[in-house]
Amino acid sequence: MNLEPMQKAAVLIEALPYIQRFNRKIVVVKYGGSAMVDEELKKKVIQDVVLLKLVGFKPIIVHGGGKEISRWVGKVGMEAQFKNGLRVTDEPTMEIAEMVLNKVNKSLVATLNKLGSKSIGLCGIDGGLMTARAAEGCTGELVRVDSTILETFLAQDYTPVVAAVAQGADGGETVYSVSANLTAARLAVALKAEKLIHLVESTKLLRDPAAPEAPIPELGLSQVPAMIRSGVIPPEMALKANCSVEAVRSGVRSATLLDGSVPHAILLELLSDEGIGTMLTH
Ligand code: ARG
């Protein structure tokens, strides 16, 4: 990248109003998709999060296990099962999922620590953060979120990394796998976040057929259902879009669907005027 000094200065100055606006504000990033598989992209996501943290944002990362769980399920000779795009988690799968989620979680924490922002890895069991009831097998439906533990760590300047696992609402030992998309949305609401970001596989899917060169820059919440019906927002993206709608309806200022395969997508979205994702607001 060869920018003239004045262009470099312009890029930094464009970021200024957003650095001010997001000062001490919580931004929840649902990490997943291509950015999770590719080590280079992963590093760039973490660099973005560290930079945001160090200029005064309060970022939180939420993640699932993504393709890693299927890979390990395959490794032990079992077969990953999906129903309507969601993983079917029986007990043996859950055992693997817990191990994989822990591995993913600590690897993110280690990278954050290394790149300069002290981080804490948690799952929904820690501090009673999330409780769920059985939906199917070990897949749980999120019933309650208590964000106290996150507030405690945020106040101490940690960047929390949360794995989408919850404890059984009956107080039992059962551990449930919950939707990371919904977890991110519910945590954003509980923490009164300024922004919820979903890193998605590719926003190629979120394009206006009449202007397909770039993602639709902005959507009002009321536009979403019709776009899901017409297929402009395909089923796979609809889950994330609906979580975003729910979050914004419940008080999060805005939610953005962002193509995680673009290096530094988070910085480009948050610290520029135009952004590169699809932003959902009222
Ligand atoms: N940087 C600003 C923000 O994060 C504006 C982003 C505009 N993005 C868009 N997709 N329209 O709030």
Side-chain angles (χ1 to χ4, degrees), residues 124-159:
I125 303 168
D126 295 301
L129 180 57
M130 304 191 292
T131 42
R133 65 171 156 253
E136 191 172 352
C138 293
T139 305
E141 184 195 33
L142 213 49
V143 286
R144 208 170 71 91
V145 161
D146 173 355
S147 58
T148 316
I149 184 96
L150 289 179
E151 283 152 38
T152 308
F153 282 115
L154 286 171
Q156 295 297 317
D157 249 2
Y158 286 93
T159 298

mmCIF file of all heavy atoms in Angstrom, residues 124-159:
data_model
loop_
_atom_site.group_PDB
_atom_site.id
_atom_site.type_symbol
_atom_site.label_atom_id
_atom_site.label_comp_id
_atom_site.label_asym_id
_atom_site.label_seq_id
_atom_site.Cartn_x
_atom_site.Cartn_y
_atom_site.Cartn_z
ATOM 1 N N GLY A 124 -20.002 -19.722 28.689
ATOM 2 C CA GLY A 124 -21.234 -19.315 29.365
ATOM 3 C C GLY A 124 -21.393 -19.888 30.767
ATOM 4 O O GLY A 124 -22.224 -19.411 31.544
ATOM 5 N N ILE A 125 -20.595 -20.899 31.112
ATOM 6 C CA ILE A 125 -20.703 -21.485 32.450
ATOM 7 C C ILE A 125 -20.048 -20.560 33.481
ATOM 8 O O ILE A 125 -20.503 -20.454 34.612
ATOM 9 C CB ILE A 125 -20.010 -22.873 32.491
ATOM 10 C CG1 ILE A 125 -20.629 -23.788 31.430
ATOM 11 C CG2 ILE A 125 -20.110 -23.503 33.865
ATOM 12 C CD1 ILE A 125 -19.824 -25.058 31.197
ATOM 13 N N ASP A 126 -19.005 -19.871 33.066
ATOM 14 C CA ASP A 126 -18.241 -19.045 34.014
ATOM 15 C C ASP A 126 -19.085 -17.900 34.567
ATOM 16 O O ASP A 126 -19.691 -17.137 33.822
ATOM 17 C CB ASP A 126 -16.997 -18.487 33.312
ATOM 18 C CG ASP A 126 -16.028 -19.587 32.916
ATOM 19 O OD1 ASP A 126 -15.570 -20.310 33.822
ATOM 20 O OD2 ASP A 126 -15.756 -19.751 31.713
ATOM 21 N N GLY A 127 -19.111 -17.825 35.867
ATOM 22 C CA GLY A 127 -19.856 -16.745 36.521
ATOM 23 C C GLY A 127 -21.346 -16.779 36.211
ATOM 24 O O GLY A 127 -22.027 -15.762 36.338
ATOM 25 N N GLY A 128 -21.856 -17.933 35.790
ATOM 26 C CA GLY A 128 -23.286 -18.020 35.457
ATOM 27 C C GLY A 128 -23.672 -17.121 34.302
ATOM 28 O O GLY A 128 -24.789 -16.600 34.226
ATOM 29 N N LEU A 129 -22.721 -16.919 33.379
ATOM 30 C CA LEU A 129 -22.943 -15.992 32.269
ATOM 31 C C LEU A 129 -24.165 -16.361 31.421
ATOM 32 O O LEU A 129 -24.967 -15.502 31.074
ATOM 33 C CB LEU A 129 -21.668 -15.937 31.404
ATOM 34 C CG LEU A 129 -21.654 -15.038 30.170
ATOM 35 C CD1 LEU A 129 -21.955 -13.592 30.531
ATOM 36 C CD2 LEU A 129 -20.286 -15.119 29.470
ATOM 37 N N MET A 130 -24.299 -17.642 31.084
ATOM 38 C CA MET A 130 -25.432 -18.018 30.233
ATOM 39 C C MET A 130 -26.043 -19.338 30.680
ATOM 40 O O MET A 130 -25.325 -20.291 30.972
ATOM 41 C CB MET A 130 -24.973 -18.183 28.778
ATOM 42 C CG MET A 130 -24.297 -16.935 28.229
ATOM 43 S SD MET A 130 -24.061 -17.012 26.485
ATOM 44 C CE MET A 130 -22.861 -18.288 26.316
ATOM 45 N N THR A 131 -27.378 -19.373 30.684
ATOM 46 C CA THR A 131 -28.047 -20.638 30.959
ATOM 47 C C THR A 131 -28.969 -20.984 29.793
ATOM 48 O O THR A 131 -29.486 -20.110 29.110
ATOM 49 C CB THR A 131 -28.858 -20.579 32.280
ATOM 50 O OG1 THR A 131 -29.526 -19.327 32.347
ATOM 51 C CG2 THR A 131 -27.977 -20.715 33.492
ATOM 52 N N ALA A 132 -29.141 -22.290 29.609
ATOM 53 C CA ALA A 132 -29.930 -22.758 28.468
ATOM 54 C C ALA A 132 -30.782 -23.943 28.889
ATOM 55 O O ALA A 132 -30.498 -24.612 29.882
ATOM 56 C CB ALA A 132 -28.998 -23.183 27.336
ATOM 57 N N ARG A 133 -31.854 -24.186 28.127
ATOM 58 C CA ARG A 133 -32.601 -25.439 28.329
ATOM 59 C C ARG A 133 -32.444 -26.282 27.069
ATOM 60 O O ARG A 133 -32.136 -25.754 25.991
ATOM 61 C CB ARG A 133 -34.068 -25.164 28.655
ATOM 62 C CG ARG A 133 -34.838 -24.513 27.541
ATOM 63 C CD ARG A 133 -36.334 -24.467 27.834
ATOM 64 N NE ARG A 133 -36.913 -23.377 27.072
ATOM 65 C CZ ARG A 133 -37.329 -22.240 27.595
ATOM 66 N NH1 ARG A 133 -37.271 -22.033 28.892
ATOM 67 N NH2 ARG A 133 -37.820 -21.276 26.828
ATOM 68 N N ALA A 134 -32.692 -27.561 27.243
ATOM 69 C CA ALA A 134 -32.483 -28.484 26.122
ATOM 70 C C ALA A 134 -33.403 -28.144 24.963
ATOM 71 O O ALA A 134 -34.599 -27.919 25.159
ATOM 72 C CB ALA A 134 -32.733 -29.910 26.592
ATOM 73 N N ALA A 135 -32.846 -28.087 23.781
ATOM 74 C CA ALA A 135 -33.666 -27.918 22.588
ATOM 75 C C ALA A 135 -33.710 -29.266 21.879
ATOM 76 O O ALA A 135 -34.757 -29.859 21.683
ATOM 77 C CB ALA A 135 -33.092 -26.846 21.685
ATOM 78 N N GLU A 136 -32.537 -29.764 21.546
ATOM 79 C CA GLU A 136 -32.439 -31.081 20.924
ATOM 80 C C GLU A 136 -31.083 -31.652 21.304
ATOM 81 O O GLU A 136 -30.051 -31.018 21.047
ATOM 82 C CB GLU A 136 -32.577 -30.933 19.408
ATOM 83 C CG GLU A 136 -32.762 -32.258 18.721
ATOM 84 C CD GLU A 136 -33.083 -32.110 17.232
ATOM 85 O OE1 GLU A 136 -33.313 -30.985 16.770
ATOM 86 O OE2 GLU A 136 -33.069 -33.152 16.562
ATOM 87 N N GLY A 137 -31.067 -32.802 21.911
ATOM 88 C CA GLY A 137 -29.799 -33.379 22.356
ATOM 89 C C GLY A 137 -29.090 -32.395 23.258
ATOM 90 O O GLY A 137 -29.671 -31.870 24.204
ATOM 91 N N CYS A 138 -27.828 -32.114 22.953
ATOM 92 C CA CYS A 138 -27.065 -31.162 23.759
ATOM 93 C C CYS A 138 -27.076 -29.769 23.149
ATOM 94 O O CYS A 138 -26.292 -28.908 23.534
ATOM 95 C CB CYS A 138 -25.632 -31.637 23.951
ATOM 96 S SG CYS A 138 -25.532 -33.116 24.958
ATOM 97 N N THR A 139 -27.931 -29.551 22.170
ATOM 98 C CA THR A 139 -28.092 -28.200 21.644
ATOM 99 C C THR A 139 -29.084 -27.499 22.549
ATOM 100 O O THR A 139 -30.170 -28.026 22.814
ATOM 101 C CB THR A 139 -28.629 -28.221 20.196
ATOM 102 O OG1 THR A 139 -27.751 -29.023 19.423
ATOM 103 C CG2 THR A 139 -28.673 -26.820 19.620
ATOM 104 N N GLY A 140 -28.689 -26.351 23.041
ATOM 105 C CA GLY A 140 -29.543 -25.664 23.999
ATOM 106 C C GLY A 140 -30.154 -24.407 23.444
ATOM 107 O O GLY A 140 -29.677 -23.837 22.468
ATOM 108 N N GLU A 141 -31.231 -24.006 24.108
ATOM 109 C CA GLU A 141 -31.865 -22.739 23.766
ATOM 110 C C GLU A 141 -31.533 -21.781 24.904
ATOM 111 O O GLU A 141 -31.790 -22.075 26.076
ATOM 112 C CB GLU A 141 -33.369 -22.978 23.657
ATOM 113 C CG GLU A 141 -34.137 -21.785 23.213
ATOM 114 C CD GLU A 141 -35.642 -21.970 23.469
ATOM 115 O OE1 GLU A 141 -36.006 -22.605 24.433
ATOM 116 O OE2 GLU A 141 -36.422 -21.487 22.744
ATOM 117 N N LEU A 142 -30.954 -20.668 24.547
ATOM 118 C CA LEU A 142 -30.509 -19.698 25.544
ATOM 119 C C LEU A 142 -31.708 -19.176 26.324
ATOM 120 O O LEU A 142 -32.663 -18.695 25.726
ATOM 121 C CB LEU A 142 -29.829 -18.558 24.783
ATOM 122 C CG LEU A 142 -28.658 -17.818 25.393
ATOM 123 C CD1 LEU A 142 -27.611 -18.778 25.917
ATOM 124 C CD2 LEU A 142 -28.047 -16.905 24.337
ATOM 125 N N VAL A 143 -31.682 -19.294 27.649
ATOM 126 C CA VAL A 143 -32.815 -18.743 28.401
ATOM 127 C C VAL A 143 -32.448 -17.506 29.212
ATOM 128 O O VAL A 143 -33.263 -16.638 29.424
ATOM 129 C CB VAL A 143 -33.516 -19.773 29.323
ATOM 130 C CG1 VAL A 143 -34.350 -20.740 28.520
ATOM 131 C CG2 VAL A 143 -32.547 -20.515 30.205
ATOM 132 N N ARG A 144 -31.190 -17.426 29.655
ATOM 133 C CA ARG A 144 -30.867 -16.276 30.487
ATOM 134 C C ARG A 144 -29.405 -15.891 30.309
ATOM 135 O O ARG A 144 -28.541 -16.736 30.117
ATOM 136 C CB ARG A 144 -31.110 -16.604 31.965
ATOM 137 C CG ARG A 144 -31.468 -15.389 32.809
ATOM 138 C CD ARG A 144 -31.943 -15.841 34.190
ATOM 139 N NE ARG A 144 -30.823 -16.362 34.978
ATOM 140 C CZ ARG A 144 -30.082 -15.598 35.783
ATOM 141 N NH1 ARG A 144 -30.333 -14.320 35.928
ATOM 142 N NH2 ARG A 144 -29.078 -16.128 36.462
ATOM 143 N N VAL A 145 -29.162 -14.599 30.367
ATOM 144 C CA VAL A 145 -27.805 -14.084 30.284
ATOM 145 C C VAL A 145 -27.593 -13.190 31.499
ATOM 146 O O VAL A 145 -28.434 -12.363 31.805
ATOM 147 C CB VAL A 145 -27.648 -13.271 28.973
ATOM 148 C CG1 VAL A 145 -26.454 -12.359 29.043
ATOM 149 C CG2 VAL A 145 -27.528 -14.193 27.780
ATOM 150 N N ASP A 146 -26.518 -13.417 32.228
ATOM 151 C CA ASP A 146 -26.167 -12.544 33.353
ATOM 152 C C ASP A 146 -24.763 -12.026 33.066
ATOM 153 O O ASP A 146 -23.773 -12.740 33.237
ATOM 154 C CB ASP A 146 -26.213 -13.342 34.658
ATOM 155 C CG ASP A 146 -25.698 -12.536 35.853
ATOM 156 O OD1 ASP A 146 -25.216 -11.389 35.653
ATOM 157 O OD2 ASP A 146 -25.767 -13.054 36.986
ATOM 158 N N SER A 147 -24.682 -10.773 32.643
ATOM 159 C CA SER A 147 -23.410 -10.261 32.128
ATOM 160 C C SER A 147 -22.467 -9.718 33.204
ATOM 161 O O SER A 147 -21.442 -9.118 32.878
ATOM 162 C CB SER A 147 -23.671 -9.205 31.065
ATOM 163 O OG SER A 147 -24.437 -8.156 31.603
ATOM 164 N N THR A 148 -22.797 -9.949 34.489
ATOM 165 C CA THR A 148 -21.969 -9.389 35.574
ATOM 166 C C THR A 148 -20.490 -9.719 35.414
ATOM 167 O O THR A 148 -19.634 -8.849 35.555
ATOM 168 C CB THR A 148 -22.455 -9.932 36.942
ATOM 169 O OG1 THR A 148 -23.871 -9.889 36.956
ATOM 170 C CG2 THR A 148 -21.894 -9.113 38.089
ATOM 171 N N ILE A 149 -20.208 -10.989 35.110
ATOM 172 C CA ILE A 149 -18.795 -11.399 35.023
ATOM 173 C C ILE A 149 -18.071 -10.621 33.915
ATOM 174 O O ILE A 149 -16.913 -10.237 34.065
ATOM 175 C CB ILE A 149 -18.665 -12.933 34.823
ATOM 176 C CG1 ILE A 149 -17.198 -13.385 34.829
ATOM 177 C CG2 ILE A 149 -19.274 -13.431 33.529
ATOM 178 C CD1 ILE A 149 -16.726 -13.872 36.142
ATOM 179 N N LEU A 150 -18.776 -10.361 32.821
ATOM 180 C CA LEU A 150 -18.153 -9.606 31.725
ATOM 181 C C LEU A 150 -17.905 -8.166 32.152
ATOM 182 O O LEU A 150 -16.850 -7.590 31.850
ATOM 183 C CB LEU A 150 -19.046 -9.630 30.482
ATOM 184 C CG LEU A 150 -19.142 -10.963 29.751
ATOM 185 C CD1 LEU A 150 -20.073 -10.839 28.553
ATOM 186 C CD2 LEU A 150 -17.759 -11.414 29.292
ATOM 187 N N GLU A 151 -18.874 -7.583 32.848
ATOM 188 C CA GLU A 151 -18.706 -6.196 33.310
ATOM 189 C C GLU A 151 -17.508 -6.089 34.246
ATOM 190 O O GLU A 151 -16.741 -5.129 34.192
ATOM 191 C CB GLU A 151 -19.983 -5.708 33.989
ATOM 192 C CG GLU A 151 -21.063 -5.355 32.967
ATOM 193 C CD GLU A 151 -22.483 -5.532 33.496
ATOM 194 O OE1 GLU A 151 -22.718 -5.226 34.675
ATOM 195 O OE2 GLU A 151 -23.330 -5.992 32.721
ATOM 196 N N THR A 152 -17.347 -7.101 35.094
ATOM 197 C CA THR A 152 -16.226 -7.104 36.029
ATOM 198 C C THR A 152 -14.900 -7.077 35.264
ATOM 199 O O THR A 152 -14.013 -6.287 35.564
ATOM 200 C CB THR A 152 -16.277 -8.370 36.915
ATOM 201 O OG1 THR A 152 -17.579 -8.443 37.474
ATOM 202 C CG2 THR A 152 -15.239 -8.351 38.002
ATOM 203 N N PHE A 153 -14.792 -7.937 34.262
ATOM 204 C CA PHE A 153 -13.535 -7.984 33.508
ATOM 205 C C PHE A 153 -13.340 -6.749 32.628
ATOM 206 O O PHE A 153 -12.216 -6.267 32.487
ATOM 207 C CB PHE A 153 -13.455 -9.267 32.680
ATOM 208 C CG PHE A 153 -13.080 -10.468 33.508
ATOM 209 C CD1 PHE A 153 -13.952 -11.527 33.694
ATOM 210 C CD2 PHE A 153 -11.825 -10.529 34.122
ATOM 211 C CE1 PHE A 153 -13.601 -12.617 34.477
ATOM 212 C CE2 PHE A 153 -11.463 -11.621 34.902
ATOM 213 C CZ PHE A 153 -12.358 -12.666 35.077
ATOM 214 N N LEU A 154 -14.412 -6.233 32.070
ATOM 215 C CA LEU A 154 -14.290 -5.014 31.252
ATOM 216 C C LEU A 154 -13.801 -3.851 32.115
ATOM 217 O O LEU A 154 -12.959 -3.062 31.686
ATOM 218 C CB LEU A 154 -15.638 -4.655 30.614
ATOM 219 C CG LEU A 154 -16.088 -5.525 29.443
ATOM 220 C CD1 LEU A 154 -17.527 -5.206 29.063
ATOM 221 C CD2 LEU A 154 -15.173 -5.337 28.232
ATOM 222 N N ALA A 155 -14.321 -3.791 33.329
ATOM 223 C CA ALA A 155 -13.916 -2.701 34.230
ATOM 224 C C ALA A 155 -12.428 -2.789 34.558
ATOM 225 O O ALA A 155 -11.784 -1.789 34.859
ATOM 226 C CB ALA A 155 -14.751 -2.750 35.508
ATOM 227 N N GLN A 156 -11.891 -3.996 34.497
ATOM 228 C CA GLN A 156 -10.462 -4.195 34.776
ATOM 229 C C GLN A 156 -9.636 -4.160 33.490
ATOM 230 O O GLN A 156 -8.486 -4.575 33.471
ATOM 231 C CB GLN A 156 -10.242 -5.544 35.474
ATOM 232 C CG GLN A 156 -10.872 -5.655 36.857
ATOM 233 C CD GLN A 156 -10.279 -4.664 37.839
ATOM 234 O OE1 GLN A 156 -9.071 -4.473 37.879
ATOM 235 N NE2 GLN A 156 -11.141 -4.011 38.623
ATOM 236 N N ASP A 157 -10.268 -3.730 32.400
ATOM 237 C CA ASP A 157 -9.554 -3.526 31.145
ATOM 238 C C ASP A 157 -9.207 -4.801 30.367
ATOM 239 O O ASP A 157 -8.353 -4.771 29.490
ATOM 240 C CB ASP A 157 -8.262 -2.735 31.385
ATOM 241 C CG ASP A 157 -8.376 -1.351 30.774
ATOM 242 O OD1 ASP A 157 -9.450 -1.058 30.225
ATOM 243 O OD2 ASP A 157 -7.396 -0.603 30.826
ATOM 244 N N TYR A 158 -9.845 -5.884 30.700
ATOM 245 C CA TYR A 158 -9.610 -7.117 29.937
ATOM 246 C C TYR A 158 -10.482 -7.119 28.680
ATOM 247 O O TYR A 158 -11.571 -6.548 28.676
ATOM 248 C CB TYR A 158 -9.987 -8.355 30.755
ATOM 249 C CG TYR A 158 -9.003 -8.673 31.846
ATOM 250 C CD1 TYR A 158 -9.185 -8.181 33.133
ATOM 251 C CD2 TYR A 158 -7.892 -9.469 31.585
ATOM 252 C CE1 TYR A 158 -8.278 -8.458 34.145
ATOM 253 C CE2 TYR A 158 -6.980 -9.759 32.581
ATOM 254 C CZ TYR A 158 -7.178 -9.249 33.861
ATOM 255 O OH TYR A 158 -6.281 -9.534 34.851
ATOM 256 N N THR A 159 -10.003 -7.785 27.642
ATOM 257 C CA THR A 159 -10.831 -8.036 26.477
ATOM 258 C C THR A 159 -11.376 -9.459 26.594
ATOM 259 O O THR A 159 -10.633 -10.426 26.466
ATOM 260 C CB THR A 159 -10.004 -7.897 25.178
ATOM 261 O OG1 THR A 159 -9.532 -6.545 25.092
ATOM 262 C CG2 THR A 159 -10.845 -8.209 23.951
#
